[in-house]
């Protein structure tokens, strides 16, 4: 792939110069959970997260996932691209999975390659992407200097821990809980990374608090059982809402019945299980901070805490799950502690997962002019160093007021009690979040062609869909024409048009759908300007409606016409075609028996790597489906 060479060379040169100039580039540790919420209050019950990261760092309350689903969210984050550009849009074939990431050759051009090119060690422990399995483990993700990854289907079995180190034969850690295994391994890697001496990047990614296989609640370490006794999920404004509030929802959501007492009890039990299992993540934070401190590198390390996507438990009547465009599923935890990051403040600066790679590259000292051309996000480092600055929205050039969130396929209902099929189809949508200083909106167009618009300042729980019906206020009508144009631009944006979609929406005839490079020459640079009534005719006559031909489970170009520009790139020049790609599978495997009793007692709080390894057993050829 020609672009790879083009990419790594300048990075390597930049890094070489830097390594000599500055031996003390900061380390980066990214603690990345799975399905953790911001809005259900899980972080309130993590005392170490509060004490070590929030009180000593900044919490960013307007951080968003680009897709509210594990695998697409992770691919978007790791490539620094919107999901329409990675085309990893689901957790299984044909929309996505690890194999698709490999076949598309996205595996050859993403974050770890860039960090290693900049002179960093780059490591990953825990859950990588759905579809890293007994059939695909030998083909370990490229780019990292070390990986130790949970192997499917064991990824979601907290008491049956199977991991593959650098693509070697998967190992079963008998008698331990996943969170103890990952904690001990992470601490060991920090020792080794410090010994190695290069600046480093390390992802620590437990599958916590994801549900276990099927519909089982997550199992906490036994020492944390009962940690959440008596708690129940908060009955927020959009929790099990009224018939009227449900009727204005799009697609399958408007059909949801009110939750009865058994569905509610289950959601509360689920909430308690999530809080209890997250106590093991709090211990990871505690030990990582302590280890960095003992090694004398705590002050020169950025510790970032986030999750792939959020979660709902009863919001909008859906008992459990993710996949929706609403705040619970897309507005993510983000806490940053590190050099020059203000301690103990909350910041409203908007950002999204695809902003992490440019941010990490800037931390690594890579010249922004030499960033990989595939990046759709922007570095947040100056904001992390100045978290209390205002959200500047006009002109937009230096902010992220407009956040693009997408989804393809069905939504899983992760509660066995709600009388619905597990996978609700017709859940493809394109969403815009406008996150401004004065105004904020959620705007979505669904594959059923239904439209949603919430004024999230006046209506933070996203209940009053003002796009529904024909009697909108004049301001709403005018706003809808602007948001339709913006969504038309963001749904196939790339690079600078993701950072600033107004570039495609200039009123001068000759500029329409063209990229205007010179930001200073833009006529319309923000929503406030666009709302001027002198542009009413422009916005209500120049742009076709965003539409879908039908609800499909993958990103089909023709199904999603029209586009702006008419023939979209959709990231295709940075990946290989994946039509009819095949996901390998194993058959006739011997069982791998999980722990006889749940693990994670107080006696395992401080286990060493030697103890862990003394109980490590390689999977047999039979267990790997390789016998006979
Ligand atoms: C932190 O700020 C100081 C003072 O401005 C500067 O010298 C230093 O390079 C900064 N460190 C990082 C990692 O940004
Ligand atoms: C609640 O609804 C579920 C699904 O329809 C049903 O199985 C259950 O029996 C109901 N529980 C009560 C208490 O009505
Ligand atoms: C478009 O905007 C003009 C004002 O410039 C207004 O007169 C007209 O009714 C609008 N048309 C639609 C379809 O909204
Ligand atoms: C959505 O609208 C477009 C354009 O009007 C139309 O062609 C398409 O059939 C509609 N799709 C659905 C799912 O109704
Ligand atoms: C899904 O959307 C299609 C239109 O694309 C519609 O005909 C169908 O009834 C919808 N199904 C459900 C379950 O909502
Ligand atoms: C996305 O992936 C699917 C499945 O491989 C493929 O059919 C589709 O053409 C791809 N879309 C784009 C825009 O590349
Ligand atoms: C674990 O080790 C710490 C010291 O690092 C100690 O304070 C704590 O009591 C130990 N906990 C257990 C359960 O052994």
């Amino acid at each position: 792939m020609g672009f790879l060479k083009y990419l790594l060379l300048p990075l390597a040169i930049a890094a070489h110069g830097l390594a000599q100039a500055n031996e003390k580039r900061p380390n980066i540790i990214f603690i990345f959970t799975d399905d953790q919420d911001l809005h259900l209050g899980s972080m309130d019950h993590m005392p170490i997260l509060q004490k070590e990261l929030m009180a000593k760092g900044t919490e960013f309350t307007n951080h968003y996932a680009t897709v509210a689903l594990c695998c697409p969210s992770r691919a978007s984050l790791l490539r620094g691209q919107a999901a329409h550009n990675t085309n990893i849009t689901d957790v299984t074939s044909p929309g996505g999975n690890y194999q698709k990431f490999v076949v598309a050759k996205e595996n050859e051009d993403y974050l770890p390659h860039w960090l290693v090119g900049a002179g960093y060690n780059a490591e990953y422990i825990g859950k990588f992407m759905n579809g890293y399995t007994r059939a695909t483990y030998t083909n370990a993700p490229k780019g990292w200097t070390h990986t130790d990854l949970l192997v499917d289907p064991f990824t979601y079995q907290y008491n049956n821990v199977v991991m593959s180190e650098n693509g070697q034969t998967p190992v079963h850690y008998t008698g331990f809980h996943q969170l103890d295994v990952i904690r001990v391994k992470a601490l060991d890697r920090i020792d080794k990374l410090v010994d190695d001496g290069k600046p480093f990047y390390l992802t620590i990614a437990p599958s916590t608090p994801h549900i276990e296989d099927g519909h089982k609640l997550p199992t906490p370490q036994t020492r944390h059982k009962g940690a959440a006794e008596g708690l129940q999920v908060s009955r927020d404004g959009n929790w099990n809402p009224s018939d009227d509030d449900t009727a204005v929802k799009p697609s399958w959501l408007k059909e949801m019945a009110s939750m009865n007492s058994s569905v509610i009890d289950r959601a509360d039990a689920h909430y308690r299980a999530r809080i209890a299992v997250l106590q093991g993540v709090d211990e990871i934070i505690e030990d990582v901070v302590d280890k960095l401190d003992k090694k004398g590198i705590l002050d020169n390390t950025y510790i970032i805490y986030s999750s792939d996507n959020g979660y709902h438990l009863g919001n909008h009547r859906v008992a459990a799950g993710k996949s929706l465009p609403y705040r619970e599923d897309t507005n993510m935890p983000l806490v940053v502690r590190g050099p020059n990051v203000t301690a103990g403040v909350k910041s409203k600066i908007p950002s999204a997962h695809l902003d992490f790679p440019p941010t990490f590259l800037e931390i690594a000292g890579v010249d922004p002019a030499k960033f990989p051309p595939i990046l759709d996000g922007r570095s947040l480092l100056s904001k992390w160093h100045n978290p209390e600055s205002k959200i500047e929205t006009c002109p937009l050039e230096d902010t992220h007021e407009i956040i693009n969130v997408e989804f393809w396929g069905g939504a899983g209902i992760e509660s066995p009690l709600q009388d619905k099929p597990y996978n609700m189809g017709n859940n493809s949508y394109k969403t815009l979040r406008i996150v401004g200083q004065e105004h904020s909106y959620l705007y979505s167009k669904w594959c059923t062609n239904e439209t949603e618009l919430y004024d999230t300042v006046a209506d933070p729980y996203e209940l009053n869909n003002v796009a529904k019906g024909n009697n909108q206020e004049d301001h709403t009508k005018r706003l809808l024409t602007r948001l339709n144009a913006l969504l038309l631009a963001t749904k196939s944006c790339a690079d600078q048009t993701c950072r600033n979609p107004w570039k495609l929406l200039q009123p001068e005839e000759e500029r329409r759908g063209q990229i205007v490079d010179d930001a200073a020459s833009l006529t319309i640079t923000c929503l406030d300007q666009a709302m001027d009534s002198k542009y009413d005719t422009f916005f209500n006559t120049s742009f076709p409606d965003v539409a879908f031909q039908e609800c499909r489970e993958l990103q089909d170009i023709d199904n999603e016409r029209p586009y702006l520009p008419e023939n979209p790139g959709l990231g295709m020049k940075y990946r290989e075609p994946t039509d009819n790609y095949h996901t390998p599978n194993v058959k006739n495997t011997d069982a791998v028996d999980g722990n006889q009793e749940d693990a994670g007692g107080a006696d395992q709080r401080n286990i060493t790597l030697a103890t862990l390894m003394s109980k490590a057993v390689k999977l047999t050829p039979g267990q790997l489906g390789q016998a006979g």
Side-chain angles (χ1 to χ4, degrees):
M1 302 193 73
F3 65 84
L4 241 187
K5 262 185 266 157
Y6 156 67
L7 230 166
L8 291 178
L9 202 62
L11 283 181
I13 292 167
H16 184 70
L18 254 160
Q20 289 167 347
N22 179 4
E23 289 298 331
K24 293 221 152 173
R25 288 182 289 164
N27 310 302
I28 304 165
I29 292 188
F30 191 15
I31 301 175
F32 191 49
T33 52
D34 189 354
D35 286 4
Q36 187 174 359
D37 58 276
L38 170 64
H39 285 291
L40 304 181
S42 62
M43 293 160 84
D44 299 343
H45 299 283
M46 297 179 68
I48 313 290
L49 173 66
Q50 302 270 337
K51 173 169 163 263
E52 291 298 339
L53 302 188
M54 292 163 94
K56 295 175 184 165
T58 298
E59 181 188 0
F60 293 88
T61 58
N62 277 317
H63 184 75
Y64 289 86
T66 51
V67 195
L69 191 64
C70 306
C71 187
S73 173
R74 287 159 190 254
S76 166
L77 189 158
L78 288 165
R79 289 267 285 183
Q81 288 186 303
H84 58 254
N85 289 332
T86 65
N87 199 30
I88 307 291
T89 57
D90 205 343
V91 293
T92 53
S93 163
N97 61 11
Y98 176 63
Q99 185 66 10
K100 187 173 183 182
F101 189 72
V102 171
V103 171
K105 299 216 161 129
E106 299 186 45
N107 193 22
E108 291 171 25
D109 190 20
Y110 69 114
L111 181 66
H113 297 277
W114 308 329
L115 286 168
V116 168
Y120 272 53
N121 278 321
E123 304 200 347
Y124 199 112
I125 297 177
K127 171 174 165 182
F128 189 67
M129 276 179 206
N130 306 65
Y132 186 71
T133 66
R134 281 177 289 191
T136 57
Y137 72 87
T138 50
N139 198 5
K142 292 190 183 170
W144 307 97
T145 46
H146 183 94
T147 59
D148 201 345
L149 306 180
L150 290 162
V151 175
D152 286 358
F154 310 102
T155 307
Y156 308 106
Q157 301 173 13
Y158 292 100
N159 274 292
N160 195 4
V161 189
V162 176
M163 297 177 77
S164 167
E165 198 172 346
N166 298 317
Q168 295 162 19
T169 305
V171 169
H172 182 226
Y173 296 91
T174 318
F176 297 105
H177 187 281
Q178 187 206 98
L179 284 162
D180 286 322
V181 176
I182 290 184
R183 189 187 70 251
V184 169
K185 282 174 176 278
L187 298 173
D188 172 61
R189 291 315 303 175
I190 295 172
D191 280 336
K192 296 200 162 76
L193 284 162
V194 170
D195 286 349
D196 192 71
K198 281 188 191 172
F200 66 83
Y201 170 89
L202 170 66
T203 296
I204 305 171
S207 70
T208 323
H210 196 288
I211 54 165
E212 298 220 14
D213 280 351
H215 280 130
K216 276 180 61 198
L217 300 181
T219 312
Q221 289 138 304
T222 53
R223 63 183 177 276
H224 298 308
K225 283 208 166 134
E229 221 160 291
L231 296 179
Q232 60 174 33
V233 66
S234 142
R235 272 60 171 157
D236 278 343
N238 60 15
W239 189 84
N240 203 18
S242 69
D243 287 350
D244 285 351
D245 286 334
T246 304
V248 298
K249 282 279 171 283
S251 199
W252 59 276
L253 287 161
K254 59 178 167 299
E255 318 276 324
M256 293 303 289
S258 185
M259 300 192 297
N260 67 25
S261 61
S262 39
V263 176
I264 290 172
D265 288 348
R266 166 75 185 199
D268 284 332
H270 194 161
Y271 179 71
R272 289 190 289 273
R274 286 166 59 85
I275 304 290
V277 76
L278 281 165
Q279 301 312 303
V281 177
D282 228 24
E283 291 172 345
I284 293 179
I285 300 171
E286 180 171 39
D287 288 7
V288 163
V289 169
D290 184 56
K291 170 72 75 182
L292 296 173
D293 192 23
K294 289 200 170 108
K295 294 280 172 188
I297 55 172
L298 181 57
D299 292 343
N300 195 35
T301 301
Y302 287 92
I303 306 174
I304 294 120
Y305 188 88
S306 193
S307 174
D308 52 1
N309 51 256
Y311 212 73
H312 55 257
L313 282 175
N315 312 82
H316 307 288
R317 295 188 173 179
V318 190
K322 53 254 183 184
S323 308
L324 299 176
Y326 310 114
R327 67 205 291 257
E328 292 76 19
D329 295 9
T330 56
N331 188 189
M332 302 311 307
L334 175 59
V335 186
V336 182
R337 170 182 178 173
N340 296 352
V341 179
T342 314
V345 302
K346 280 191 195 221
S347 168
K348 291 185 173 174
I349 301 285
S351 57
H353 275 355
L354 46 69
D355 296 323
F356 284 128
T359 308
F360 296 160
L361 290 177
E362 191 177 353
I363 290 172
V366 177
D367 176 355
K370 298 191 173 116
F371 280 2
I374 82 172
L375 297 178
D376 295 335
R378 53 164 59 79
S379 172
L380 302 170
L381 193 59
S382 63
K383 304 293 181 195
W384 286 3
H385 287 168
N386 197 6
E388 290 171 291
S389 54
K390 254 184 78 182
I391 309 174
E392 291 152 37
T393 51
C394 210
L396 183 68
E397 193 55 30
D398 190 36
T399 73
H400 216 145
E401 183 193 34
I402 298 167
I403 288 170
N404 175 224
V405 178
E406 309 170 280
F407 203 90
W408 290 264
I413 298 189
E414 299 182 349
S415 166
L417 295 185
Q418 219 157 16
D419 192 17
K420 288 278 173 196
Y422 176 76
N423 197 21
M424 301 302 293
N426 286 7
N427 197 65
S428 300
Y429 55 79
K430 307 208 175 284
T431 291
L432 269 186
R433 287 258 172 201
I434 306 285
V435 184
Q437 189 77 24
E438 312 294 340
H439 55 227
S440 291
Y441 300 102
L442 167 64
Y443 174 73
S444 300
K445 193 84 190 209
W446 287 65
C447 59
T448 51
N449 282 345
E450 288 163 289
T451 307
E452 285 182 291
L453 174 60
Y454 304 94
D455 173 343
T456 54
V457 174
D459 175 25
Y461 294 106
E462 299 161 348
L463 287 165
N464 182 21
N465 178 8
V466 296
K468 187 96 178 172
N470 297 315
N471 306 321
Q472 288 120 3
E473 287 174 14
D474 188 51
H475 176 267
T476 304
K477 275 192 191 143
R478 296 172 59 251
L479 181 61
L480 283 166
T481 65
R482 275 63 170 181
L483 295 176
N484 175 65
L486 263 179
L487 188 62
L488 191 65
T490 57
K491 75 177 193 144
S492 59
C493 69
D495 181 24
Q496 55 173 311
T497 60
C498 287
R499 292 187 288 274
N500 189 352
W502 294 112
K503 290 188 168 187
L504 291 170
L505 305 175
Q506 297 301 301
E508 298 80 12
E509 186 75 47
E510 69 283 4
R511 284 181 156 189
R512 201 142 327 141
Q514 306 294 320
I515 296 173
V516 177
D517 275 318
D518 175 14
S521 78
L522 294 177
T523 306
I524 298 177
T525 66
C526 64
L527 187 60
D528 283 343
Q529 285 176 354
M531 285 300 288
D532 193 315
S533 57
K534 73 181 173 207
Y535 300 127
D536 281 355
T537 309
F538 167 59
F539 280 106
N540 75 14
T541 58
S542 310
F543 303 100
D545 283 350
V546 172
F548 291 80
Q549 287 310 306
E550 57 176 356
C551 289
R552 296 212 52 191
E553 61 177 349
L554 50 72
Q555 181 180 217
D556 175 82
I557 301 191
D558 290 330
N559 189 46
E560 299 182 12
R561 289 193 193 282
Y563 294 96
L564 184 73
E566 247 170 75
N567 295 306
L570 298 173
M572 286 181 283
K573 71 174 169 176
Y574 300 121
R575 54 182 169 86
E576 297 292 322
T578 48
D579 295 315
N580 309 315
Y581 79 97
H582 165 72
T583 303
N585 218 333
V586 286
K587 290 196 192 110
N588 306 324
T589 47
D590 296 345
V592 178
D593 293 326
N595 300 330
Q596 303 221 312
E597 287 169 15
D598 288 352
D603 59 321
Q604 295 186 339
R605 170 64 183 91
N606 290 337
I607 47 163
T608 62
L609 186 72
T611 308
L612 187 67
M613 295 316 291
S614 73
K615 303 279 179 57
V617 187
K618 280 186 187 164
L619 260 53
T620 64
Q623 290 170 325
L624 290 167
Q626 295 165 353

